[in-house]
Amino acid sequence: MTTEEKPELKQFLDAVHQVHGYDFTDYSEASIQRRINHFLLLKKIDGMEELKKLVLKDEKLFEEFVQELSVTVTEMFRDPTFYLSLRRQVVSQLATYPVIKIWIAGCATGEEVYSVAILLREEGLLQRSIIYATDINQKSLSHAREGVFDIDHMKTYTVNYQKAGGKTAFSDYYTANYNAVIFDQSLRQNIVFSPHNLSVDKSFNEFQLIICRNVLIYFNQRLQNKVLNLFYESLCPFGFLALGNKESLLFTDKRNSFEDIDKKEKIYKRLG
Ligand SMILES: C[S@@+](CC[C@H](N)C(=O)[O-])C[C@H]1O[C@@H](n2cnc3c(N)ncnc32)[C@H](O)[C@@H]1O
């Protein structure tokens, strides 16, 4: 297909990829179009042609565009039964490794990462764990590094934490300061926050556990498949892949390379 024959959206995403190195071409079309429409309205930009001109030459606007494309909705101990399952079905096997390397891909503003760190602390594993928390969105990563969250969310997070099998008072992990809370510095010691783009970047280590929840839903089938291959290659033999209840391995070519650990929470174990 020549460039002239490609639909407008595809042409635009190809140009963004060429100029900025960010590849959104295999994101789910419906969701990306919705986000672009919202961005056009927000910035009062008159259609895709103008958006293309502006985004290709204006770095700052491009950064804002990336923000718009990255849905950062998240929570601490989101879907608490997922964490219960990690505690019950994964932790004892992680404990057999002298050093536990965990990759949390698409970590947004870090709520999921602090939740995993708390769980590991309570299971006596945080000291010998290294959590690599990555996202495409630099602004979200800065927020995550600070470990400061809105005090208004703590009620919901406390309930989630309890349902997730939390072993103490949730407030033991943070200090309140006016409208915000700051999470315990010691939780962050073993966390490395870093940019990583699942659509273009390679693996960077070998992990005993990879968690990637509520991210693949924004990708089309081809990109989901590519990312699941990346996860497969990044896991040690018998390592765990945790996708959460909204995604699955079902339609990917790696389906037979994993055994089910929890069918509802979509936790898998790499075969050999
Ligand atoms: C809805 S949040 C999920 C946050 C968290 N995992 C959770 O379940 O609560 C989706 C995250 O995926 C990130 N994301 C989207 N495309 C990505 C890509 N290509 N590489 C890495 N992260 C990406 C977004 O920036 C966003 O922070």
Side-chain angles (χ1 to χ4, degrees), residues 9-10 58 83 88 116 174 226 247 254 267 269:
L9 177 64
K10 175 94 174 79
D58 183 340
Y83 291 90
R88 291 179 180 161
V116 171
Y174 62 78
K226 180 174 159 186
E247 9 235 347
K254 279 287 170 280
I267 300 177
K269 187 177 190 177

Side-chain angles (χ1 to χ4, degrees), residues 12 21 31 34-36 62 70 77 83-84 86 116 122 131 136 150 153 156 162 218 243 252 255 257 259:
F12 169 66
S31 126
R34 219 174 20 246
R35 299 248 137 210
I36 289 178
F62 175 67
S70 99
F77 291 96
Y83 291 90
L84 256 189
L86 276 187
V116 171
E122 293 186 354
I131 306 175
I136 192 178
D150 196 327
H153 296 315
T156 310
Q162 286 160 349
Y218 300 105
L243 298 179
T252 68
R255 180 63 195 106
S257 311
E259 133 189 29

Side-chain angles (χ1 to χ4, degrees), residues 15-51:
V16 164
H17 186 196
Q18 261 178 23
V19 173
H20 293 290
Y22 279 70
D23 187 359
F24 295 110
T25 54
D26 278 330
Y27 276 46
S28 140
E29 201 174 316
S31 126
I32 208 162
Q33 190 64 66
R34 219 174 20 246
R35 299 248 137 210
I36 289 178
N37 292 345
H38 181 248
F39 193 69
L40 292 175
L41 272 176
L42 193 76
K43 296 283 164 192
K44 301 190 173 58
I45 298 172
D46 188 21
M48 291 289 288
E49 229 2 83
E50 193 190 335
L51 176 69

